[in-house]
């Protein structure tokens, strides 16, 4: 309903991903609402930091766990759509897997909702089959599922 | 820039997914721009209808191929964000796999851009690791990739 609210939402998303790129953990933490409702969709048994979390403390633990496994190299917006308190963004990202020094390239989608100038709802989704294969460093043996 | 344009974009996304639900293939076809730029992100060797396509003819072939494998049972919007000519939508969907009669439940994300009242750009992304496992009917053997 409000162009000003939409502009604030856009600014917060830009700020979050700038803070990711710059490794500004304090700024990321400042942008997270105490009552955040957070889900990274994906296989929790492969990436233990995936799945739902509730509240700022749990989310900061997730971000720290991701940072232990991966070093962010790239986070560029491909598509950014904002409306009032909601944003959706598809980004091209790259991470170095610290254990192997290999680079993983992936598209990440974030759906974000803003409350009180902070992120109160966060959903992340990616092409996890591809991400798992990149992280493993080999192709999974899976038959074609046509027809 | 325009509330009217945003409202039109929202109406087209609602119409597309209504047409999906009702199996209204003619209406879906009417909503697709001749020059559509289309990508479903995912493993093409598992689901041959995934990957990039260009133009209405190729996209209608993809939709027909999906319909041969899966019967849509549910397509409900969870989050819908529209701004001018762009929309992003996260949906809860369910499909019956015709070959096995099993039901797959998945979140689908669409990023859509509108031109001339039709869909000119389409990106679909999902938690493909989960989708592949559901379609196979068993869990893939993959080690934890922490640390």
């Amino acid at each position: 309903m409000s162009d000003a609210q939409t502009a604030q939402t856009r600014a917060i998303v830009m700020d979050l991903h700038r803070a990711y790129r710059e490794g500004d953990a304090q700024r990321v933490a400042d942008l997270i609402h105490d009552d955040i409702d957070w889900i990274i969709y994906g296989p929790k048994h492969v990436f233990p930091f995936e799945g739902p979390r509730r509240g700022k403390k749990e989310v900061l633990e997730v971000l720290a766990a991701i940072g232990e496994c991966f070093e962010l190299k790239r986070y560029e917006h491909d598509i950014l759509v904002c409306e009032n308190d909601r944003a959706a963004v598809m980004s091209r990202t790259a991470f170095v897997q610290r254990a192997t020094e290999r680079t993983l390239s992936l598209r990440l989608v974030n759906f974000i909702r803003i409350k009180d100038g902070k992120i109160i709802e966060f959903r992340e989704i990616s092409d996890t089959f591809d991400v798992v294969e990149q992280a493993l460093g080999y192709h999974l043996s899976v038959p074609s599922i046509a027809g």
Side-chain angles (χ1 to χ4, degrees), chain A residues 17-111:
Chain A
H17 293 155
R18 181 202 55 74
Y20 279 1
R21 280 194 301 272
E22 295 177 3
D24 187 347
Q26 184 57 55
R27 184 61 189 154
V28 173
D30 288 345
L31 289 170
I32 294 174
H33 199 287
D34 287 343
D35 299 324
I36 189 168
D37 169 3
W38 167 287
I39 305 175
I40 300 178
Y41 294 105
K44 294 189 289 285
H45 61 292
V46 181
F47 298 113
F49 48 75
E50 298 190 328
R53 298 292 190 281
R54 193 66 190 242
K56 181 169 181 166
K57 180 170 174 291
E58 289 187 11
V59 166
L60 294 182
E61 288 167 1
V62 161
L63 291 170
I66 293 171
E68 282 173 23
C69 296
F70 297 104
E71 181 187 358
L72 181 66
K73 285 292 181 183
R74 182 184 185 198
Y75 206 114
E76 294 172 13
H77 291 170
D78 215 15
I79 306 172
L80 173 58
V81 188
C82 299
E83 185 180 28
N84 302 320
D85 60 345
R86 288 195 179 275
V89 53
M90 181 180 283
S91 306
R92 292 169 194 257
T93 72
F95 297 84
V96 172
Q97 188 173 24
R98 296 187 193 278
T100 62
E101 298 189 350
R102 281 188 287 107
T103 299
L104 283 56
S105 295
L106 48 142
R107 276 180 183 71
L108 284 180
V109 168
N110 288 176
F111 279 81

Side-chain angles (χ1 to χ4, degrees), chain A residues 120-132:
Chain A
I120 186 77
E121 189 184 300
F122 180 91
R123 300 286 182 267
E124 184 164 284
I125 197 160
S126 63
D127 177 2
T128 44
F129 189 88
D130 177 60
V131 178
V132 168

